[in-house]
Amino acid sequence: MKVLIIQQKMIGDVLTSTILCENIKVNIKESKVHYLINSQTKAVVENNPYIDKIVLFTPKYRKSKLAFYNFLKEIKKEKYDVVIDVYGKLESNLICLFSNAPIKISYKKWYTSLLFTHVFEYTVKGTIEVDRAIESRLKLLSPILPEAKNFIKKPKIYLTEKEIALAKTFLETHKIDFSKPIIMINALGSNDKKSYPLLYMAEIINTIAEKSLGNLLFNYSPDQATDAKALYNLCNETTKDLIYFDAYPSNLRSFLGVLYHCYASIGNEGGAINMAKALNIPTFSIYSPWITKASWDFFKSESNVSVHVEDYFPEKIDGKSRKELREDSSNLYQYLKPSLIDKKLKIFLSHKFITNK
């Protein structure tokens, strides 16, 4: 069986859908699994032993209709037996259609029954021990794995020994003290609608510094450097002494190597939190008001903790659409004051995994 799984989108989505690759390879021994993803997300799936081929969707396919058409012809040549469209947008629908695969699987929309042989409702409320983003994905496997049980539910990132060693060398060149815990601070979200207010985040970082006395690293994208520096300047002087602001990996794969050496990943929820979980690094995540916590709060435990404004003020969230919450995110963030988070955060920081990795 030759299978194409399509998951174009952000890093967290791409990483989560690798569980489909693994479950297929484990349960269908002679299967070949190809994974179609956006090119900028490749780093989180490199070296994954359950992916036979990574198919990269590059920006040129969006810019040029001819390039996209040629890409579709290449997909058709592969003669897939099964295509699973996790992304579920026009782009991926066309890829499915052109594949001519006998089995085409995706989520249910008003038109998808015309394009796909099997469609499934996206899970509204999880009924198994994982949250709905994972459960919804596992549903898509039922047409080809109807008898399978005990699905693998946790995505993993595979680093080489060389990458781990290089990351340690990188940290050593920045004078990181390995006798103290290294904590990754997810300083900013992917955009301002997913970023905890800087003034509030500075208070959170001060608490982390006070309780852990560890080495603090900042995670942010290059285009966010100005905001990241502003956040650094809002921290108190004692905290600043613990922040290694210039210990900034040059690429995503290098970042993963650095993250491997961290005791925890704390801050804005997003791809970095998902990557930490996939490396078994403890996480404390702050959700944006417009992100549905029930979809992405994987593997809740004392080592994976999260907060959302709905935890404290559910009436501020109830009945509002995702669009309304997104537009009002700046105002809603104001309710999630550091004083509300403080107790949970201090309990998280008190656990032995922060001091004894």
Side-chain angles (χ1 to χ4, degrees):
M1 183 181 287
K2 190 175 184 181
V3 184
L4 174 67
I5 297 169
I6 305 172
Q7 178 62 91
Q8 299 160 260
K9 212 175 180 184
M10 305 297 282
I11 285 170
D13 301 276
V14 169
L15 181 55
T16 301
S17 288
T18 58
I19 61 170
L20 301 180
C21 306
E22 185 169 357
N23 280 297
I24 292 169
K25 293 291 286 184
V26 167
N27 287 280
I28 305 175
K29 299 301 181 185
E30 300 303 315
S31 61
K32 293 291 181 184
V33 176
H34 294 188
Y35 195 28
L36 194 161
I37 60 174
N38 287 340
S39 54
Q40 72 272 20
T41 64
K42 182 184 177 184
V44 295
V45 300
E46 285 185 284
N47 299 324
N48 189 311
Y50 302 102
I51 299 172
D52 295 295
K53 181 180 179 180
I54 300 170
V55 182
L56 297 179
F57 192 91
T58 64
K60 71 178 180 181
Y61 300 140
R62 290 199 178 96
K63 294 176 182 177
S64 167
K65 290 181 181 178
L66 178 60
F68 184 46
Y69 178 66
N70 289 332
F71 175 76
L72 293 175
K73 288 197 295 185
E74 292 301 312
I75 292 293
K76 188 175 182 179
K77 285 180 185 177
E78 291 284 353
K79 297 182 179 180
Y80 293 107
D81 300 299
V82 181
V83 176
I84 301 176
D85 181 5
V86 191
Y87 186 45
K89 299 293 175 68
L90 176 61
E91 212 166 61
S92 57
N93 292 168
L94 286 171
I95 294 169
C96 275
L97 185 63
F98 269 75
S99 74
N100 279 344
I103 299 174
K104 304 183 189 75
I105 307 166
S106 190
Y107 294 119
K108 188 174 184 179
K109 295 183 179 179
W110 66 269
Y111 62 88
T112 50
S113 58
L114 300 173
L115 303 177
F116 297 92
T117 59
H118 302 79
V119 294
F120 296 89
E121 295 277 2
Y122 194 87
T123 300
V124 175
K125 185 177 181 180
T127 57
I128 54 178
E129 68 269 22
V130 294
D131 291 292
R132 66 196 202 189
I134 287 181
E135 185 169 335
S136 294
R137 283 165 168 79
L138 293 177
K139 277 185 183 180
L140 301 177
L141 294 176
S142 59
I144 58 173
L145 295 175
E147 306 298 324
K149 297 179 180 178
N150 301 317
F151 279 124
I152 294 138
K153 303 179 181 75
K154 186 173 182 179
K156 305 178 190 72
I157 288 172
Y158 297 86
L159 294 171
T160 65
E161 291 300 319
K162 182 179 179 180
E163 288 173 320
I164 293 168
L166 284 172
K168 185 175 183 182
T169 300
F170 169 83
L171 292 169
E172 288 172 341
T173 61
H174 284 86
K175 311 301 181 185
I176 301 290
D177 183 355
F178 276 79
S179 69
K180 298 178 181 179
I182 304 169
I183 298 176
M184 183 65 70
I185 306 294
N186 299 313
L188 298 150
S190 55
N191 56 61
D192 60 345
K193 304 287 188 186
K194 291 189 71 175
S195 295
Y196 193 52
L198 296 188
L199 205 56
Y200 284 3
M201 182 59 80
E203 289 189 48
I204 294 295
I205 298 171
N206 288 337
T207 298
I208 296 167
E210 179 188 349
K211 293 298 176 183
S212 71
L213 294 176
N215 309 286
L216 307 185
L217 308 179
F218 270 24
N219 170 39
Y220 58 92
S221 61
D223 62 330
Q224 295 173 321
T226 300
D227 286 339
K229 194 66 176 180
L231 175 59
Y232 170 84
N233 289 330
L234 287 170
C235 296
N236 65 42
E237 294 305 314
T238 303
T239 298
K240 287 178 183 177
D241 288 341
L242 298 174
I243 297 172
Y244 291 78
F245 192 84
D246 295 326
Y248 188 84
S250 59
N251 57 63
L252 184 52
R253 200 70 190 175
S254 298
F255 169 78
L256 290 169
V258 169
L259 188 58
Y260 173 89
H261 293 284
C262 292
Y263 286 59
S265 177
I266 303 174
N268 290 283
E269 185 276 335
I273 290 290
N274 290 313
M275 288 186 276
K277 289 179 180 179
L279 289 169
N280 292 317
I281 306 299
T283 64
F284 188 101
S285 47
I286 302 171
Y287 274 80
S288 169
W290 66 277
I291 298 298
T292 306
K293 184 178 173 182
S295 289
W296 292 101
D297 197 21
F298 304 154
F299 318 115
K300 295 182 288 291
S301 67
E302 67 177 16
S303 61
N304 286 307
V305 181
S306 65
V307 291
H308 191 293
V309 68
E310 70 176 340
D311 297 337
Y312 306 94
F313 301 101
E315 71 280 2
K316 303 294 183 184
I317 303 296
D318 291 347
K320 293 183 180 178
S321 69
R322 182 181 174 91
K323 182 179 179 182
E324 289 172 323
L325 292 170
R326 182 185 173 92
E327 290 175 351
D328 197 32
S329 61
S330 295
N331 177 54
L332 291 169
Y333 262 133
Q334 300 304 314
Y335 292 98
L336 193 58
K337 297 183 184 299
S339 56
L340 288 177
I341 300 174
D342 193 64
K343 183 178 179 181
K344 261 191 175 183
L345 179 60
K346 286 179 178 177
I347 291 172
F348 176 82
L349 293 168
S350 70
H351 285 300
K352 62 182 180 182
F353 50 71
I354 297 296
T355 53
N356 298 304
K357 188 173 181 181

